[in-house]
Amino acid sequence: MNIRKAATDDLERIVELLAQLGYANEVEQVERYLRELRQSSSGEVFVAQDGRNVVGVAVVHTIKPLHVRGTWGLLSALVVDDERRSSGVGASLLIAAEAFALQHGCSQLELSSSSARTRAHLFYERNGYQEKRLRFVKILV
């Protein structure tokens, strides 16, 4: 298995993977967001490729909070194909996201996960993550 930066050829598969978690996206939208993310140098998208197949994707961002010193990493998505979960793909993508965050001076990497995804919570805990606080969201549009 190879972990690498996402390429344009991966976009359809990335959309399929995101759909497995209930996120409906269009290829054009994902392509535009990927381009904007890279132009701003504020994040990266990694894919896990096994042979010719992309079997997972991770999206990591960097942010500079005003209220504390330093930079934080934010893992906004990590998806492994349903048929490849619990095979080490997610852990490999997590390592790539953590390495990116460290290379960009981040003091921490955080993520959010739906309360219904208890299997994912166990995965993150096994990989050294701790539940820290509640998350509140207000949909504006």
Side-chain angles (χ1 to χ4, degrees), residues 5 44 46 62 71 95-107:
K5 292 179 180 180
E44 189 55 78
F46 295 97
T62 59
T71 303
I95 289 168
E98 291 169 357
F100 178 88
L102 284 169
Q103 289 167 359
H104 288 82
C106 296
S107 60

Side-chain angles (χ1 to χ4, degrees), residues 4 36 63 82 94-95 121 134:
R4 61 174 173 76
E36 291 171 359
I63 58 174
D82 286 336
L94 200 53
I95 289 168
H121 304 165
L134 296 175

